[in-house]
Amino acid sequence: MTIPHHLWTTRVATGLMSLGAVLSLSSCGLPLPLPGLPDVAEERGDAPRDDSAEEQADQAGPAAEEGEFRTGPVPNGSADFDDLPEVDSTDPAEQVEGELANVVQEFAMTEDPSTDAACDGFDSSADSVVDCNVTFQGIDVPFEVEISGGESVFSYTPDPVEGMVASRDALEDETRYHTGNESVRCTMDEFQLVPVGEDIPDLTCHAKDDPDEYTVSVSAYGSIYLSRVY
């Protein structure tokens, strides 16, 4: 059986990279791929900070008065997450719902078996726009899904209309990697709905005894980017 290839669609108007796939109605569950996250430091051309211990000790990190820093090992590279198992269903609605649930978990770099997805009025044989919602860690992640219908094969392109869910653990690990510091803090909930492809409002990350603070953005692929505030 030949499995149709997957498609990626860029929505220039919103600056979002939307996920798209072509599914066969007789397929046995097809993955909606979330590409492996690139080495963010290489993409930016940045290198981990190399400030001397003496310079850092002279200045207190700005987040010290806002909450506790959390300590963990400095990763060897940017945050990454393995793909989840393929969706095992021949039902078109279940295929799409399962793939949306996977995409949300992969973006958050956290597997949660309780993740649930549902689409309204799904008809794979007709062109339409369908409202879908994924519930992850108690957070609703709504999607608009554009369906290009067909009797044997249909395609779809989902857009997260309010953003995606980011994980504090993943952002703090990226801060450790970026700064080379084990003790860091990001001003966010454990899981939080965030905009995609732009700086996240009211969210900054800090390394202990480092005077700098960093704004954060997350690409549509889930890659985390830190930018030092000057």
Side-chain angles (χ1 to χ4, degrees):
M1 177 176 63
T2 301
I3 298 176
H5 65 282
H6 292 75
L7 301 178
W8 287 80
T9 303
T10 303
R11 292 188 180 275
V12 179
T14 62
L16 296 180
M17 183 70 75
S18 300
L19 310 174
V22 176
L23 299 184
S24 167
L25 299 186
S26 61
S27 67
C28 301
L30 298 175
L32 180 62
L34 189 68
L37 304 183
D39 186 318
V40 177
E42 290 182 1
E43 283 193 348
R44 287 188 302 250
D46 291 349
R49 287 180 55 83
D50 190 26
D51 294 337
S52 69
E54 292 81 4
E55 290 174 338
Q56 292 182 0
D58 289 339
Q59 304 180 67
E65 297 180 357
E66 299 176 11
E68 294 296 326
F69 288 90
R70 302 200 303 172
T71 301
V74 177
N76 294 324
S78 290
D80 203 350
F81 183 75
D82 295 332
D83 291 338
L84 294 169
E86 296 181 2
V87 178
D88 185 15
S89 176
T90 58
D91 179 82
E94 290 181 359
Q95 288 179 19
V96 173
E97 290 167 354
E99 301 304 346
L100 291 180
N102 278 358
V103 165
V104 170
Q105 293 173 84
E106 290 171 353
F107 188 96
M109 301 186 194
T110 304
E111 184 174 2
D112 180 1
S114 69
T115 302
D116 181 64
C119 295
D120 297 334
F122 193 96
D123 181 359
S124 63
S125 66
D127 294 348
S128 62
V129 177
V130 178
D131 291 328
C132 300
N133 187 78
V134 177
T135 303
F136 169 79
Q137 292 288 321
I139 300 172
D140 288 333
V141 186
F143 288 85
E144 280 189 354
V145 180
E146 183 177 349
I147 306 293
S148 295
E151 292 300 324
S152 58
V153 175
F154 72 100
S155 65
Y156 71 99
T157 303
D159 248 341
V161 296
E162 295 181 9
M164 296 283 278
V165 176
S167 161
R168 183 179 63 188
D169 283 345
L171 267 61
E172 289 185 345
D173 268 349
E174 183 65 25
T175 305
R176 292 185 181 99
Y177 171 60
H178 187 85
T179 63
N181 194 321
E182 293 182 346
S183 186
V184 302
R185 179 176 182 270
C186 292
T187 58
M188 64 178 293
D189 296 331
E190 183 179 3
F191 294 98
Q192 183 171 316
L193 193 67
V194 301
V196 176
E198 60 186 74
D199 282 352
I200 302 170
D202 302 320
L203 196 164
T204 55
C205 291
H206 313 261
K208 192 171 184 179
D209 299 324
D210 184 339
D212 292 328
E213 66 177 10
Y214 299 86
T215 58
V216 181
S217 64
V218 186
S219 78
Y221 297 107
S223 300
I224 300 167
Y225 295 88
L226 300 181
S227 300
R228 183 181 299 132
V229 177
Y230 291 97

